Amino acid sequence: MDGHEPEDAKQSTADMTTFVQNLLQQMQSRFQGMSEKILTKNILSNILAGLSMMSIVVVTLVH
């Protein structure tokens, strides 16, 4: 091997690089979306738990 790749091999390498970069970007976007959904769900869950505790306190104070 003389260190020079044929033009087809260079194009194939470039195509594969582009494919992998696009795949990684898609994966990153999906993981980001899942993370945001998990955080939103946890925040809403904490808010609902807080409201539930507040309603128990109110009911206890009223009775």
Side-chain angles (χ1 to χ4, degrees):
M1 302 228 320
D2 61 3
H4 298 287
E5 293 182 55
E7 206 53 43
D8 288 346
K10 288 180 183 178
Q11 184 61 46
S12 178
T13 301
D15 290 345
M16 184 59 70
T17 299
T18 300
F19 173 79
V20 171
Q21 286 175 335
N22 288 336
L23 184 62
L24 291 173
Q25 287 173 346
Q26 289 174 11
M27 290 172 62
Q28 181 180 9
S29 293
R30 290 178 183 166
F31 280 120
Q32 182 67 34
M34 287 189 295
S35 294
E36 289 171 2
K37 287 178 184 177
I38 290 168
L39 288 174
T40 300
K41 184 178 179 181
N42 286 341
I43 290 169
L44 291 175
S45 178
N46 288 339
I47 290 171
L48 291 174
L51 290 173
S52 178
M53 290 302 293
M54 288 174 55
S55 67
I56 290 171
V57 170
V58 169
V59 168
T60 303
L61 291 174
V62 171
H63 285 94

